[in-house]
Short mmCIF file of all heavy atoms in Angstrom, two decimals:
data_model
loop_
_atom_site.label_atom_id
_atom_site.label_comp_id
_atom_site.label_asym_id
_atom_site.label_seq_id
_atom_site.Cartn_x
_atom_site.Cartn_y
_atom_site.Cartn_z
N PRO M 417 3.66 92.16 -115.97
CA PRO M 417 4.33 93.06 -115.04
C PRO M 417 3.95 92.73 -113.59
O PRO M 417 2.85 92.30 -113.32
CB PRO M 417 3.74 94.49 -115.43
CG PRO M 417 2.44 94.12 -116.14
CD PRO M 417 2.63 92.83 -116.82
N GLY M 418 4.93 93.00 -112.73
CA GLY M 418 4.68 92.74 -111.30
C GLY M 418 4.02 93.89 -110.63
O GLY M 418 3.52 94.83 -111.19
N ASN M 419 4.09 93.81 -109.27
CA ASN M 419 3.43 94.89 -108.52
C ASN M 419 4.46 95.87 -108.01
O ASN M 419 4.25 96.50 -107.03
CB ASN M 419 2.67 94.25 -107.34
CG ASN M 419 3.58 93.41 -106.44
OD1 ASN M 419 4.67 93.21 -106.84
ND2 ASN M 419 3.04 92.96 -105.33
N GLY M 420 5.60 95.93 -108.71
CA GLY M 420 6.61 96.91 -108.33
C GLY M 420 7.99 96.37 -108.59
O GLY M 420 8.16 95.25 -109.08
N GLY M 421 8.96 97.19 -108.32
CA GLY M 421 10.38 96.72 -108.48
C GLY M 421 10.76 96.71 -109.90
O GLY M 421 10.13 97.22 -110.82
N GLY M 422 11.92 96.10 -110.18
CA GLY M 422 12.49 96.07 -111.50
C GLY M 422 11.76 95.10 -112.37
O GLY M 422 10.64 95.22 -112.68
N GLY M 423 12.43 94.02 -112.79
CA GLY M 423 11.71 93.06 -113.53
C GLY M 423 12.03 93.14 -115.03
O GLY M 423 13.01 93.64 -115.43
N GLY M 424 11.12 92.84 -115.84
CA GLY M 424 11.30 92.77 -117.28
C GLY M 424 10.79 91.40 -117.69
O GLY M 424 9.87 90.87 -117.13
N SER M 425 11.40 90.86 -118.73
CA SER M 425 10.96 89.55 -119.21
C SER M 425 11.46 88.50 -118.26
O SER M 425 12.53 88.62 -117.66
CB SER M 425 11.52 89.34 -120.62
OG SER M 425 12.91 89.35 -120.62
N THR M 426 10.70 87.41 -118.20
CA THR M 426 11.06 86.36 -117.29
C THR M 426 12.23 85.58 -117.84
O THR M 426 12.34 85.29 -119.05
CB THR M 426 9.86 85.35 -117.18
OG1 THR M 426 8.77 86.03 -116.66
CG2 THR M 426 10.20 84.19 -116.26
N PRO M 427 13.22 85.23 -117.02
CA PRO M 427 14.37 84.45 -117.51
C PRO M 427 13.90 83.07 -117.96
O PRO M 427 12.92 82.55 -117.45
CB PRO M 427 15.30 84.37 -116.28
CG PRO M 427 14.40 84.55 -115.12
CD PRO M 427 13.31 85.48 -115.60
N SER M 428 14.62 82.49 -118.85
CA SER M 428 14.28 81.14 -119.27
C SER M 428 14.41 80.16 -118.17
O SER M 428 15.16 80.42 -117.20
CB SER M 428 15.16 80.70 -120.45
OG SER M 428 16.52 80.54 -119.99
N ARG M 429 13.71 79.07 -118.22
CA ARG M 429 13.85 78.04 -117.21
C ARG M 429 15.26 77.52 -117.20
O ARG M 429 15.76 77.05 -116.17
CB ARG M 429 12.88 76.91 -117.47
CG ARG M 429 11.43 77.24 -117.16
CD ARG M 429 11.22 77.58 -115.65
NE ARG M 429 11.38 78.98 -115.39
CZ ARG M 429 11.52 79.50 -114.16
NH1 ARG M 429 11.52 78.72 -113.12
NH2 ARG M 429 11.69 80.78 -113.99
N LYS M 430 15.95 77.60 -118.34
CA LYS M 430 17.32 77.18 -118.38
C LYS M 430 18.21 78.09 -117.50
O LYS M 430 19.08 77.66 -116.78
CB LYS M 430 17.88 77.25 -119.81
CG LYS M 430 19.30 76.74 -119.96
CD LYS M 430 19.78 76.78 -121.40
CE LYS M 430 21.22 76.36 -121.55
NZ LYS M 430 21.65 76.41 -122.99
N GLY M 431 17.86 79.41 -117.51
CA GLY M 431 18.61 80.34 -116.66
C GLY M 431 18.32 80.07 -115.21
O GLY M 431 19.27 80.06 -114.37
#
Side-chain angles (χ1 to χ4, degrees):
N419 57 353
S425 61
T426 300
S428 68
R429 287 298 91 193
K430 182 178 178 182

